[in-house]
Amino acid sequence: MKNIKEKILDEVTAGEGSFLIEIRIELNWDHYKFQNLLLLLNEFLKTNEAGDYLERELSAGIWYVTNFIPHWTSHGSFRKSNNYSEEYYRSAYELLEFIASWYFMGHCPFIGDDMNSEIMKLRELI
């Protein structure tokens, strides 16, 4: 069974069944796959918050997904086939920004499990 870091690397390197493969190849935003990506990253960051250094492969992957996802999915053609509201996408992109900030700057923008709560609130915007 894969550990959390291996699962994240599968996601950020567009492994089979990943959210990135879904949006890039299928041009489909799967809310549950996106939610899973965010929850994996959140869990990893909570358990590794005190880390003193950033691992290059993981850092590159996190940088990539937090930049690629908003860029790729904000295109009009993508949005036509994915019927989520502007508020949903705005909230999703904001959560990606929070993840990147937390990972690279070392400060969680939320207290306790509030990040999980924010991730789960996306469901309400579907």
Side-chain angles (χ1 to χ4, degrees), residues 99-122:
I99 291 286
S101 177
W102 186 3
Y103 181 75
F104 291 108
M105 304 306 285
H107 303 289
C108 177
F110 298 99
I111 298 171
D113 282 337
D114 286 351
M115 182 71 156
N116 274 351
S117 298
E118 291 300 313
I119 293 168
M120 300 312 279
K121 282 183 189 176
L122 275 179

Side-chain angles (χ1 to χ4, degrees), residues 18-33:
S18 68
F19 178 72
L20 282 182
I21 285 292
E22 191 79 18
I23 63 171
R24 177 64 181 97
I25 304 299
E26 302 298 327
L27 299 177
N28 179 53
W29 182 290
D30 182 320
H31 167 76
Y32 297 103
K33 285 184 179 184

